[in-house]
Each structure stands twice: as structure tokens, then as C-alpha cells.
Amino acid sequence: MEQLTLRADGISATIVGQGAELVSLRDADGTELLWQAGPAWRRHSPVLFPIVGRLKGDQLRHRGQTYPMTQHGFARDRRFAWAEQGPTSCTLVLTDDAETRTRYPFAFRLAIGYDVKPRQLGVTFEITNTGDEPLPASIGAHPAFNWPLLPELPKEAYRLTFADNEPTPVRRLNDGLLLPAPQPTPIKGKTLPLSEKLFDDDAVILDRPASASLRYAAGQGPAIEMSWLGFNELGIWSKPGGAPFLCIEPWHGVASPVDFDGEFADKPGVMLIEPGARRVLSYRIGLSLEP
């Protein structure tokens, strides 16, 4: 099966086997809310595994050896197996093989589950260590929503509203690597006004978010509510120079600091999963209308 569409009251979500990627998210009116992989960026909602962001030199270091690892890892470019399929839920699975071990010398099982309920989509990541040594890994979501959600509205009409105040400084990138110095947050209390200029210096990264949920809306039309569990960081991104999408990205892990040359297992943000153990992380997208 190449793709599957899940449906519940007020929502439909289409998932493909390639990358276990969400490629469509529609509301009750049939309005497409997810970016449709246009020329500005050829993805919809890739899964970031086993890294988030870039490693220095695009190399993973383990026990003194180096392995090639491109930005955001390989899961988004691999075909997952369909483990479960139904009208409102599905599960896709990726396991290590000879090809993955040339880049990531670990045994793993990554299961991604999707489920729909009225006006809600849930996504679950389950990482299992099937090997005999600790499994170092990062994982992240990267859904890209249309920006604006209503084409007749200006981008500047939109904002992110966090559940809690977010006064902590944010992090930024240089050539995909994490800069050492935090920067003042552009979030005003709970509100982040959105503009193309915000992304002139690439992603806005909250490495210590107080909130575990936010709302993306313009005061009218469709609104998106996102919540997450188990993720430590949050990335917010659109393509520098302007593009008609906004990515809201719960992460467990970040790009390598510009001065980090150590072992992957010691990189900031990496989780260590013991042999036979698993780690479960999830996020949820809720659809609603602004009054």
C-alpha cells in the first residue's frame, strides 16, 4: 500500500509509506492545512531520525569511528512497512538493516502511529533498542502548515500563542549548527507574532520551552492547536527569504553545537535507550475555527 487516508468527524489525514510521512491534513470543509511540497520545499511532514538538525561535518562519531549522516537523518527517505491499517489508525515500522548500519551502527525499531478522532490527529513515535548496547538517538516531528491557512489573509495576521509565558532566550543556527550564545526571545509573553523576517536567521529554537502546547491562528478562519509529550525542544521554521509554509516542530534533540566534536552519544539532546528498552513520544494536532 502506497498511502492510507484516515477519517473521523471534521478531519482527514493521509499517510504514505515512504518516510511514514503525513502528506495531507484536511478539515471538515475539505480545506488543506498541510503544505503540499511545492518548489520552495519538497516535503510535507518528515520524520527526523536518528538525528535532529545537522551533525558537524555531517559525520556521526561512535567509538572513534565516523559514519556519514546527512541533516535530519535517514528515516524520512526510507520506506516503512505497514504494520497496522484501519479506518482511523495505522502503524508503520522501520528497522535497522545493512544499509542503515553503514550510517548508524545500531540496532533499532522505530514505529510511528497515526490516529484520528473528531477534529484531532495523534502521532506517536516509539523507539525500541533491539541491540545489546545503549542506543543513542534523537527524533523530531517536522509538520509544515500552510502559511497563511486562508490565502486571502496576510502572513502577518498569524501568530503562535503558547500555553505559558516563554521568557527564556532562544537558540539560533549558523550553517545548520547551533550557535553557542542564546538570543533574546522574539516571543512577547505567550505570543509570537509571525513574519517572514523572523526566519532571516533560520529556525527559532526553544531549547527549554515552558509550554507543551500552542495555537497557530489569525483571529479568523482555521486554527491549529498542537500539543506534545516527551519532547524537550521546539523548532519553528520557514524558509529564509519567504515561503508559504510554517513548520512547528517538537524535537528531542538539536543540531550539533558549532564547537562539538565528540561522540554522538555525548552530543547535547541525545537520548540513551538501554538494550531492550523503548522510548515513546507523541504529539497531537487539533483543528478548530477562530470565532
Side-chain angles (χ1 to χ4, degrees):
M1 179 182 291
E2 289 299 316
Q3 67 178 42
L4 177 68
T5 298
L6 309 177
R7 293 182 173 89
D9 182 33
I11 191 170
S12 69
T14 300
I15 298 96
V16 296
Q18 184 69 21
E21 188 172 6
L22 175 71
V23 298
S24 176
L25 184 66
R26 295 180 180 268
D27 65 11
D29 297 326
T31 300
E32 181 61 71
L33 304 174
L34 202 68
W35 166 247
Q36 289 301 290
W41 190 56
R42 292 295 190 181
R43 300 186 188 265
H44 306 262
S45 181
V47 174
L48 316 182
F49 177 86
I51 66 169
V52 171
R54 282 191 62 203
L55 300 180
K56 190 173 182 180
D58 294 323
Q59 291 186 328
L60 183 150
R61 300 180 184 277
H62 179 61
R63 295 185 175 175
Q65 296 194 41
T66 59
Y67 301 83
M69 180 66 71
T70 52
Q71 185 177 35
H72 293 324
F74 52 74
R76 61 184 183 168
D77 297 317
R78 294 298 304 269
R79 185 170 299 279
F80 283 61
W82 294 90
E84 298 177 8
Q85 303 160 13
T88 61
S89 65
C90 65
T91 303
L92 302 96
V93 174
L94 179 70
T95 56
D96 63 284
D97 59 22
E99 196 280 329
T100 68
R101 288 190 290 270
T102 65
R103 294 187 277 170
Y104 184 60
F106 304 99
F108 68 89
R109 179 182 188 271
L110 172 60
I112 302 178
Y114 293 91
D115 70 272
V116 291
K117 298 177 180 179
R119 294 177 297 282
Q120 289 192 42
L121 169 68
V123 185
T124 301
F125 298 150
E126 180 181 296
I127 309 165
T128 303
N129 183 350
T130 57
D132 56 7
E133 66 174 310
L135 174 67
S138 287
I139 194 163
H142 202 316
F145 301 104
N146 288 326
W147 180 32
L149 292 171
L150 285 181
E152 62 267 25
L153 293 180
K155 285 184 169 182
E156 291 75 14
Y158 285 82
R159 63 191 177 276
L160 297 182
T161 304
F162 292 83
D164 299 296
N165 288 328
E166 296 289 350
T168 304
V170 299
R171 306 298 295 273
R172 290 285 198 166
L173 303 170
N174 180 35
D175 194 26
L177 300 179
L178 196 67
L179 289 169
Q183 298 187 13
T185 180
I187 303 170
K188 306 177 189 305
K190 297 180 181 180
T191 303
L192 176 61
L194 295 174
S195 68
E196 290 183 353
K197 183 175 177 57
L198 182 65
F199 304 105
D200 284 351
D201 296 321
D202 211 312
V204 176
I205 300 169
L206 284 70
D207 62 346
R208 290 175 290 167
S211 305
S213 64
L214 57 74
R215 183 178 179 88
Y216 166 47
Q220 59 178 294
I224 289 171
E225 298 171 350
M226 279 191 67
S227 59
W228 52 90
L229 185 64
F231 296 96
N232 294 342
E233 295 87 17
L234 182 73
I236 304 162
W237 179 72
S238 188
K239 190 173 182 178
F245 62 82
L246 177 76
C247 296
I248 305 171
E249 310 176 38
W251 296 340
H252 194 301
V254 290
S256 290
V258 294
D259 58 352
F260 180 79
D261 292 302
E263 295 266 306
F264 179 63
D266 298 325
K267 191 178 83 67
V270 168
M271 67 180 87
L272 289 175
I273 305 172
E274 292 300 316
R278 63 175 185 156
R279 185 72 66 90
V280 179
L281 311 90
S282 63
Y283 71 98
R284 186 161 293 274
I285 299 171
L287 308 184
S288 62
L289 286 172
E290 290 281 81

